[in-house]
Amino acid sequence: MGKSTDPKFYKSGKWVRERNLYRQQHPFCERCLMLGIYKPTEIVHHREYLDDSKAKDAKVALNFANLEALCFECHNKEHHNGANRPKKKRFYFQDGELVLRDLPH
């Protein structure tokens, strides 16, 4: 069960359309919702993980039955054993000084 190494899939028009449609239909994290918690969907997750061949198979990659709306916390539990990934950081200038700022994942 290898990870898809081709980032083109996640930038493709087909995936972006399906992901956005799924998020519209599932505005809350499906796992939290089962616990009566209303947290907004932040990621559309593939239940069956994608590898390069599955990313090319629309029956797997674009099938709503294989998708799940998740918040970041639930997605991290799925993929990172609950650990938060290090935040991305970017430098920018504020009042003439270089400042380090966290970016969203």
mmCIF file of all heavy atoms in Angstrom, residues 66-94:
data_model
loop_
_atom_site.group_PDB
_atom_site.id
_atom_site.type_symbol
_atom_site.label_atom_id
_atom_site.label_comp_id
_atom_site.label_asym_id
_atom_site.label_seq_id
_atom_site.Cartn_x
_atom_site.Cartn_y
_atom_site.Cartn_z
ATOM 1 N N ASN A 66 -15.303 5.971 -1.347
ATOM 2 C CA ASN A 66 -13.936 5.837 -0.850
ATOM 3 C C ASN A 66 -13.441 7.111 -0.176
ATOM 4 O O ASN A 66 -12.295 7.192 0.232
ATOM 5 C CB ASN A 66 -12.983 5.445 -1.990
ATOM 6 C CG ASN A 66 -11.603 5.084 -1.482
ATOM 7 O OD1 ASN A 66 -11.451 4.458 -0.436
ATOM 8 N ND2 ASN A 66 -10.580 5.495 -2.204
ATOM 9 N N LEU A 67 -14.301 8.115 -0.055
ATOM 10 C CA LEU A 67 -13.880 9.385 0.527
ATOM 11 C C LEU A 67 -14.459 9.566 1.917
ATOM 12 O O LEU A 67 -15.488 8.993 2.257
ATOM 13 C CB LEU A 67 -14.317 10.552 -0.369
ATOM 14 C CG LEU A 67 -13.776 10.528 -1.792
ATOM 15 C CD1 LEU A 67 -14.287 11.733 -2.566
ATOM 16 C CD2 LEU A 67 -12.262 10.458 -1.808
ATOM 17 N N GLU A 68 -13.784 10.378 2.713
ATOM 18 C CA GLU A 68 -14.221 10.670 4.071
ATOM 19 C C GLU A 68 -13.812 12.105 4.411
ATOM 20 O O GLU A 68 -12.675 12.495 4.189
ATOM 21 C CB GLU A 68 -13.555 9.684 5.032
ATOM 22 C CG GLU A 68 -13.994 9.798 6.455
ATOM 23 C CD GLU A 68 -13.353 8.736 7.343
ATOM 24 O OE1 GLU A 68 -12.253 8.229 7.016
ATOM 25 O OE2 GLU A 68 -13.950 8.427 8.374
ATOM 26 N N ALA A 69 -14.755 12.881 4.920
ATOM 27 C CA ALA A 69 -14.494 14.253 5.333
ATOM 28 C C ALA A 69 -13.918 14.232 6.744
ATOM 29 O O ALA A 69 -14.524 13.667 7.651
ATOM 30 C CB ALA A 69 -15.787 15.060 5.298
ATOM 31 N N LEU A 70 -12.745 14.840 6.919
ATOM 32 C CA LEU A 70 -12.077 14.816 8.217
ATOM 33 C C LEU A 70 -11.588 16.204 8.620
ATOM 34 O O LEU A 70 -11.286 17.040 7.777
ATOM 35 C CB LEU A 70 -10.862 13.881 8.192
ATOM 36 C CG LEU A 70 -11.118 12.408 7.911
ATOM 37 C CD1 LEU A 70 -9.793 11.654 7.864
ATOM 38 C CD2 LEU A 70 -12.046 11.806 8.940
ATOM 39 N N CYS A 71 -11.470 16.404 9.922
ATOM 40 C CA CYS A 71 -10.780 17.579 10.459
ATOM 41 C C CYS A 71 -9.289 17.215 10.499
ATOM 42 O O CYS A 71 -8.914 16.045 10.321
ATOM 43 C CB CYS A 71 -11.302 17.933 11.854
ATOM 44 S SG CYS A 71 -10.993 16.665 13.110
ATOM 45 N N PHE A 72 -8.431 18.213 10.739
ATOM 46 C CA PHE A 72 -6.993 17.935 10.790
ATOM 47 C C PHE A 72 -6.653 16.926 11.885
ATOM 48 O O PHE A 72 -5.818 16.049 11.696
ATOM 49 C CB PHE A 72 -6.191 19.218 11.025
ATOM 50 C CG PHE A 72 -6.062 20.088 9.806
ATOM 51 C CD1 PHE A 72 -6.394 21.420 9.877
ATOM 52 C CD2 PHE A 72 -5.600 19.587 8.606
ATOM 53 C CE1 PHE A 72 -6.268 22.242 8.768
ATOM 54 C CE2 PHE A 72 -5.479 20.385 7.492
ATOM 55 C CZ PHE A 72 -5.816 21.714 7.576
ATOM 56 N N GLU A 73 -7.300 17.047 13.038
ATOM 57 C CA GLU A 73 -6.995 16.163 14.158
ATOM 58 C C GLU A 73 -7.275 14.702 13.801
ATOM 59 O O GLU A 73 -6.442 13.823 14.047
ATOM 60 C CB GLU A 73 -7.809 16.577 15.383
ATOM 61 C CG GLU A 73 -7.450 15.807 16.624
ATOM 62 C CD GLU A 73 -8.225 16.286 17.853
ATOM 63 O OE1 GLU A 73 -8.816 17.381 17.820
ATOM 64 O OE2 GLU A 73 -8.217 15.549 18.840
ATOM 65 N N CYS A 74 -8.429 14.432 13.211
ATOM 66 C CA CYS A 74 -8.762 13.049 12.835
ATOM 67 C C CYS A 74 -7.857 12.556 11.710
ATOM 68 O O CYS A 74 -7.470 11.388 11.691
ATOM 69 C CB CYS A 74 -10.230 12.947 12.437
ATOM 70 S SG CYS A 74 -11.345 13.060 13.860
ATOM 71 N N HIS A 75 -7.495 13.435 10.788
ATOM 72 C CA HIS A 75 -6.604 13.035 9.706
ATOM 73 C C HIS A 75 -5.221 12.700 10.256
ATOM 74 O O HIS A 75 -4.598 11.717 9.844
ATOM 75 C CB HIS A 75 -6.510 14.141 8.652
ATOM 76 C CG HIS A 75 -5.840 13.701 7.408
ATOM 77 N ND1 HIS A 75 -4.557 14.055 7.089
ATOM 78 C CD2 HIS A 75 -6.289 12.917 6.391
ATOM 79 C CE1 HIS A 75 -4.227 13.507 5.937
ATOM 80 N NE2 HIS A 75 -5.260 12.800 5.478
ATOM 81 N N ASN A 76 -4.752 13.477 11.228
ATOM 82 C CA ASN A 76 -3.456 13.181 11.843
ATOM 83 C C ASN A 76 -3.497 11.871 12.608
ATOM 84 O O ASN A 76 -2.514 11.130 12.632
ATOM 85 C CB ASN A 76 -3.020 14.320 12.756
ATOM 86 C CG ASN A 76 -2.515 15.513 11.979
ATOM 87 O OD1 ASN A 76 -2.187 15.403 10.801
ATOM 88 N ND2 ASN A 76 -2.476 16.657 12.620
ATOM 89 N N LYS A 77 -4.618 11.554 13.245
ATOM 90 C CA LYS A 77 -4.747 10.267 13.933
ATOM 91 C C LYS A 77 -4.638 9.125 12.932
ATOM 92 O O LYS A 77 -4.048 8.086 13.225
ATOM 93 C CB LYS A 77 -6.081 10.184 14.673
ATOM 94 C CG LYS A 77 -6.136 11.017 15.918
ATOM 95 C CD LYS A 77 -7.497 10.915 16.570
ATOM 96 C CE LYS A 77 -7.610 11.858 17.745
ATOM 97 N NZ LYS A 77 -8.962 11.870 18.311
ATOM 98 N N GLU A 78 -5.206 9.313 11.756
ATOM 99 C CA GLU A 78 -5.186 8.283 10.716
ATOM 100 C C GLU A 78 -3.779 8.067 10.156
ATOM 101 O O GLU A 78 -3.338 6.944 9.986
ATOM 102 C CB GLU A 78 -6.141 8.675 9.588
ATOM 103 C CG GLU A 78 -6.167 7.716 8.428
ATOM 104 C CD GLU A 78 -6.845 6.396 8.737
ATOM 105 O OE1 GLU A 78 -7.724 6.354 9.619
ATOM 106 O OE2 GLU A 78 -6.498 5.388 8.088
ATOM 107 N N HIS A 79 -3.086 9.147 9.873
ATOM 108 C CA HIS A 79 -1.816 9.042 9.151
ATOM 109 C C HIS A 79 -0.569 9.224 10.002
ATOM 110 O O HIS A 79 0.505 8.808 9.608
ATOM 111 C CB HIS A 79 -1.762 10.074 8.026
ATOM 112 C CG HIS A 79 -2.610 9.713 6.858
ATOM 113 N ND1 HIS A 79 -2.298 8.705 5.979
ATOM 114 C CD2 HIS A 79 -3.787 10.223 6.439
ATOM 115 C CE1 HIS A 79 -3.232 8.616 5.063
ATOM 116 N NE2 HIS A 79 -4.148 9.522 5.316
ATOM 117 N N HIS A 80 -0.694 9.877 11.131
ATOM 118 C CA HIS A 80 0.508 10.220 11.891
ATOM 119 C C HIS A 80 0.416 9.778 13.344
ATOM 120 O O HIS A 80 1.008 10.397 14.217
ATOM 121 C CB HIS A 80 0.736 11.741 11.828
ATOM 122 C CG HIS A 80 0.733 12.270 10.438
ATOM 123 N ND1 HIS A 80 1.732 12.011 9.534
ATOM 124 C CD2 HIS A 80 -0.186 13.014 9.774
ATOM 125 C CE1 HIS A 80 1.436 12.583 8.391
ATOM 126 N NE2 HIS A 80 0.292 13.194 8.500
ATOM 127 N N ASN A 81 -0.358 8.749 13.608
ATOM 128 C CA ASN A 81 -0.537 8.225 14.967
ATOM 129 C C ASN A 81 -0.919 9.322 15.960
ATOM 130 O O ASN A 81 -0.469 9.322 17.102
ATOM 131 C CB ASN A 81 0.718 7.503 15.440
ATOM 132 C CG ASN A 81 1.019 6.277 14.616
ATOM 133 O OD1 ASN A 81 0.110 5.553 14.220
ATOM 134 N ND2 ASN A 81 2.290 6.045 14.323
ATOM 135 N N GLY A 82 -1.715 10.260 15.486
ATOM 136 C CA GLY A 82 -2.214 11.313 16.362
ATOM 137 C C GLY A 82 -1.265 12.463 16.577
ATOM 138 O O GLY A 82 -1.620 13.458 17.179
ATOM 139 N N ALA A 83 -0.052 12.330 16.077
ATOM 140 C CA ALA A 83 0.934 13.396 16.288
ATOM 141 C C ALA A 83 0.689 14.536 15.305
ATOM 142 O O ALA A 83 0.354 14.305 14.152
ATOM 143 C CB ALA A 83 2.340 12.845 16.083
ATOM 144 N N ASN A 84 0.857 15.735 15.788
ATOM 145 C CA ASN A 84 0.778 16.882 14.899
ATOM 146 C C ASN A 84 2.094 17.001 14.151
ATOM 147 O O ASN A 84 3.166 16.877 14.738
ATOM 148 C CB ASN A 84 0.524 18.171 15.683
ATOM 149 C CG ASN A 84 -0.885 18.222 16.206
ATOM 150 O OD1 ASN A 84 -1.812 17.763 15.543
ATOM 151 N ND2 ASN A 84 -1.055 18.769 17.388
ATOM 152 N N ARG A 85 1.997 17.219 12.859
ATOM 153 C CA ARG A 85 3.189 17.410 12.060
ATOM 154 C C ARG A 85 3.782 18.774 12.378
ATOM 155 O O ARG A 85 3.076 19.682 12.772
ATOM 156 C CB ARG A 85 2.841 17.324 10.576
ATOM 157 C CG ARG A 85 2.321 15.968 10.216
ATOM 158 C CD ARG A 85 2.089 15.758 8.766
ATOM 159 N NE ARG A 85 1.823 16.943 7.989
ATOM 160 C CZ ARG A 85 1.060 16.967 6.920
ATOM 161 N NH1 ARG A 85 0.465 15.896 6.512
ATOM 162 N NH2 ARG A 85 0.886 18.077 6.232
ATOM 163 N N PRO A 86 5.080 18.912 12.197
ATOM 164 C CA PRO A 86 5.685 20.229 12.412
ATOM 165 C C PRO A 86 5.037 21.255 11.482
ATOM 166 O O PRO A 86 4.724 20.942 10.341
ATOM 167 C CB PRO A 86 7.153 20.029 12.042
ATOM 168 C CG PRO A 86 7.360 18.577 11.908
ATOM 169 C CD PRO A 86 6.027 17.920 11.753
ATOM 170 N N LYS A 87 4.826 22.445 11.995
ATOM 171 C CA LYS A 87 4.210 23.490 11.190
ATOM 172 C C LYS A 87 5.205 24.009 10.176
ATOM 173 O O LYS A 87 6.402 24.115 10.451
ATOM 174 C CB LYS A 87 3.738 24.642 12.076
ATOM 175 C CG LYS A 87 2.585 24.262 12.972
ATOM 176 C CD LYS A 87 2.109 25.469 13.747
ATOM 177 C CE LYS A 87 0.913 25.063 14.582
ATOM 178 N NZ LYS A 87 0.396 26.165 15.355
ATOM 179 N N LYS A 88 4.690 24.335 8.998
ATOM 180 C CA LYS A 88 5.508 24.989 7.996
ATOM 181 C C LYS A 88 5.703 26.428 8.448
ATOM 182 O O LYS A 88 4.839 27.022 9.068
ATOM 183 C CB LYS A 88 4.802 24.961 6.638
ATOM 184 C CG LYS A 88 4.572 23.568 6.109
ATOM 185 C CD LYS A 88 3.800 23.618 4.821
ATOM 186 C CE LYS A 88 3.464 22.232 4.338
ATOM 187 N NZ LYS A 88 2.644 22.254 3.139
ATOM 188 N N LYS A 89 6.849 26.958 8.149
ATOM 189 C CA LYS A 89 7.145 28.323 8.584
ATOM 190 C C LYS A 89 7.590 29.147 7.384
ATOM 191 O O LYS A 89 8.134 28.630 6.432
ATOM 192 C CB LYS A 89 8.220 28.316 9.659
ATOM 193 C CG LYS A 89 7.789 27.562 10.905
ATOM 194 C CD LYS A 89 8.824 27.649 11.994
ATOM 195 C CE LYS A 89 8.420 26.855 13.205
ATOM 196 N NZ LYS A 89 7.418 27.468 14.013
ATOM 197 N N ARG A 90 7.329 30.438 7.468
ATOM 198 C CA ARG A 90 7.746 31.349 6.412
ATOM 199 C C ARG A 90 8.230 32.641 7.062
ATOM 200 O O ARG A 90 7.654 33.117 8.023
ATOM 201 C CB ARG A 90 6.584 31.638 5.470
ATOM 202 C CG ARG A 90 6.950 32.666 4.407
ATOM 203 C CD ARG A 90 5.880 32.849 3.377
ATOM 204 N NE ARG A 90 5.855 31.686 2.526
ATOM 205 C CZ ARG A 90 4.812 31.330 1.801
ATOM 206 N NH1 ARG A 90 3.712 32.028 1.815
ATOM 207 N NH2 ARG A 90 4.853 30.261 1.053
ATOM 208 N N PHE A 91 9.274 33.181 6.486
ATOM 209 C CA PHE A 91 9.775 34.467 6.944
ATOM 210 C C PHE A 91 9.067 35.581 6.182
ATOM 211 O O PHE A 91 8.758 35.434 5.008
ATOM 212 C CB PHE A 91 11.282 34.576 6.686
ATOM 213 C CG PHE A 91 12.111 33.733 7.597
ATOM 214 C CD1 PHE A 91 12.566 32.488 7.196
ATOM 215 C CD2 PHE A 91 12.436 34.177 8.873
ATOM 216 C CE1 PHE A 91 13.330 31.711 8.041
ATOM 217 C CE2 PHE A 91 13.203 33.408 9.725
ATOM 218 C CZ PHE A 91 13.653 32.169 9.312
ATOM 219 N N TYR A 92 8.809 36.681 6.855
ATOM 220 C CA TYR A 92 8.274 37.858 6.201
ATOM 221 C C TYR A 92 8.731 39.088 6.981
ATOM 222 O O TYR A 92 9.215 38.989 8.103
ATOM 223 C CB TYR A 92 6.750 37.789 6.087
ATOM 224 C CG TYR A 92 6.012 37.924 7.394
ATOM 225 C CD1 TYR A 92 5.398 39.112 7.744
ATOM 226 C CD2 TYR A 92 5.930 36.850 8.280
ATOM 227 C CE1 TYR A 92 4.725 39.232 8.951
ATOM 228 C CE2 TYR A 92 5.261 36.970 9.484
ATOM 229 C CZ TYR A 92 4.659 38.165 9.810
ATOM 230 O OH TYR A 92 3.994 38.294 10.998
ATOM 231 N N PHE A 93 8.605 40.246 6.368
ATOM 232 C CA PHE A 93 9.015 41.487 7.005
ATOM 233 C C PHE A 93 7.827 42.151 7.679
ATOM 234 O O PHE A 93 6.750 42.251 7.120
ATOM 235 C CB PHE A 93 9.620 42.454 5.980
ATOM 236 C CG PHE A 93 11.013 42.081 5.588
ATOM 237 C CD1 PHE A 93 11.252 41.370 4.429
ATOM 238 C CD2 PHE A 93 12.090 42.429 6.391
ATOM 239 C CE1 PHE A 93 12.534 41.024 4.066
ATOM 240 C CE2 PHE A 93 13.384 42.087 6.040
ATOM 241 C CZ PHE A 93 13.600 41.381 4.875
ATOM 242 N N GLN A 94 8.030 42.584 8.916
ATOM 243 C CA GLN A 94 7.025 43.320 9.660
ATOM 244 C C GLN A 94 7.732 44.494 10.322
ATOM 245 O O GLN A 94 8.659 44.291 11.104
ATOM 246 C CB GLN A 94 6.347 42.435 10.703
ATOM 247 C CG GLN A 94 5.301 43.154 11.515
ATOM 248 C CD GLN A 94 4.633 42.211 12.512
ATOM 249 O OE1 GLN A 94 4.722 40.996 12.403
ATOM 250 N NE2 GLN A 94 3.963 42.789 13.475
#
